[in-house]
């Protein structure tokens, strides 16, 4: 397996947007821990009400819950040829768990760090809308749907995520700064190359092009 891709970055850096472009290009699954947790909460399946409350507050769900969920997902047959991880790992303990899992299979991760400023994050997340049926992402200013509040693809009314209120976005940013940024140190200290991609100023297609070029240069080195 050569395509164990980790998309790393703060809330609103575009991990979900870029993961969809990469998976569309490479034909490998998009593994988003946020989406998996939200689905389980909606269906009342496999997670406690404490997990739902944790997510609504902007804090991180316990490592053991997320590690077990990711391990199950990566063991599915469709992930045998690779996957794009979006939102995992988010703590050093998760990064160690992933490293052990991949090393046991002789695989190294490719880490792409999407770099954006706090102000960009606030503007993106307060305007984000999502189709609850197909998951397509919109933004009320930057990427509005053709018909107000309806998904272009299936006409479903768009929704605002529970954790996209400004105070919760601040708390998610704090969780990122306190618990997730140290993962970059872990990678650098253990010799893992991290590819920094400026993801703040250009539209998603341009950011994707930068990722594609960074991955090509990584393949060559
Ligand atoms: P999660 O769902 O992973 O949320 P997040 O990391 O906060 O990231 P977002 O989904 O908010 O943003 P994104 O980077 O994917 O950006 P997007 O592409 O949507 O996690 C939610 C919660 O689940 C966590 O708070 C935690 O509680 C829990 N959780 C999840 N994983 C966990 C883990 N591993 N451990 C513990 N807990 C975990 O883009 C945002 C907006 O910007 C969109 O409107 C989009 O259209 C727009 N946009 C994107 N790119 C661009 C661009 N280049 N230009 C203009 N607009 C853009």
């Amino acid at each position: 397996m050569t395509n164990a891709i980790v998309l790393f970055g703060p809330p609103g850096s575009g991990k979900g947007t870029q993961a969809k472009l990469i998976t569309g290009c490479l034909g490998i699954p998009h593994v988003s821990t946020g989406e998996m947790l939200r689905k389980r909460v909606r269906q009342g399946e496999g997670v406690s009400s404490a997990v739902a409350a944790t997510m609504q507050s902007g804090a991180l769900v316990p490592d053991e819950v997320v590690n077990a969920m990711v391990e199950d997902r990566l063991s599915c047959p469709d992930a045998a040829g690779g996957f794009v991880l979006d939102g995992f790992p988010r703590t050093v303990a998760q990064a160690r768990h992933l490293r052990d899992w991949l090393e046991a299979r002789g695989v190294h991760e490719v880490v792409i760090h999407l770099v954006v400023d706090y102000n960009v994050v606030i503007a993106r997340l307060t305007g984000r809308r999502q189709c609850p049926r197909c998951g397509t992402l919109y933004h009320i200013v930057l990427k509005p749907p053709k018909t107000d509040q309806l998904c272009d693809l299936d006409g479903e009314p768009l929704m605002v995520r529970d954790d996209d209120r400004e105070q919760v976005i601040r708390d998610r940013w704090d969780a990122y700064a306190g618990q997730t940024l140290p993962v970059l140190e872990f990678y650098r200290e253990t010799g893992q190359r991290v590819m920094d991609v400026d993801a703040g100023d250009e539209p998603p297609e341009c950011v994707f092009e930068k990722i594609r070029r960074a991955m090509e240069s990584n393949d060559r080195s």
Side-chain angles (χ1 to χ4, degrees):
M1 187 204 299
T2 54
N3 290 317
I5 299 168
V6 173
L7 275 181
F8 188 92
S13 54
K15 301 182 297 296
T17 302
Q18 294 305 322
K20 286 180 175 63
L21 292 170
I22 296 169
T23 57
C25 181
L26 296 179
I28 53 177
H30 171 192
V31 177
S32 158
T33 44
E35 286 298 333
M36 289 161 77
L37 287 165
R38 280 187 289 281
K39 186 171 174 204
R40 288 179 180 208
V41 166
R42 269 197 311 275
Q43 296 177 343
E45 170 202 302
V47 289
S48 65
S49 55
V51 167
T54 301
M55 292 175 74
Q56 281 193 358
S57 75
L60 296 186
V61 171
D63 289 335
E64 54 276 17
V65 173
V66 184
N67 285 341
M69 189 177 77
V70 170
E71 211 174 303
D72 277 357
R73 180 64 188 91
L74 300 189
S75 303
C76 293
D78 69 330
F83 43 80
V84 181
L85 279 167
D86 157 9
F88 183 93
R90 239 171 163 110
T91 64
V92 172
Q94 292 178 16
R96 285 212 172 89
H97 188 85
L98 177 67
R99 172 68 56 85
D100 290 348
W101 193 90
L102 291 173
E103 276 185 1
R105 287 153 185 82
V107 176
H108 289 286
E109 63 271 62
V110 173
V111 183
I112 297 162
H113 174 207
L114 302 179
V115 182
V116 295
D117 289 343
Y118 178 73
N119 289 340
V120 172
V121 162
I122 291 285
R124 283 187 186 171
L125 294 185
T126 50
R128 173 167 59 184
R129 301 290 181 271
Q130 187 166 20
C131 174
R133 186 185 296 174
C134 69
T136 302
L137 289 166
Y138 297 88
H139 188 281
I140 51 174
V141 178
L142 304 168
K143 192 191 167 210
K146 291 188 185 110
T147 307
D148 193 30
Q149 300 295 341
L150 298 179
C151 179
D152 293 347
L153 304 183
D154 53 29
E156 195 76 12
L158 302 180
M159 56 156 224
V160 179
R161 254 170 59 174
D162 285 345
D163 58 354
D164 276 350
R165 287 173 289 117
E166 198 162 333
Q167 180 55 51
V168 184
I169 296 170
R170 284 202 199 102
D171 293 341
R172 285 160 63 199
W173 180 273
D174 289 346
Y176 175 76
Q179 291 169 271
T180 305
L181 265 182
V183 172
L184 283 183
E185 275 314 297
F186 165 80
Y187 278 136
R188 288 178 173 135
E189 280 167 9
T190 56
Q192 169 68 47
R193 183 171 171 203
V194 174
M195 292 180 274
D196 293 324
V197 172
D198 180 356
D201 297 327
E202 292 178 295
E205 294 69 23
C206 297
V207 176
F208 175 61
E209 187 50 30
K210 288 190 214 169
I211 293 174
R212 207 183 52 73
R213 283 202 302 266
M215 286 175 56
E216 272 177 14
S217 85
N218 187 58
D219 284 347
R220 281 196 299 271
S221 62

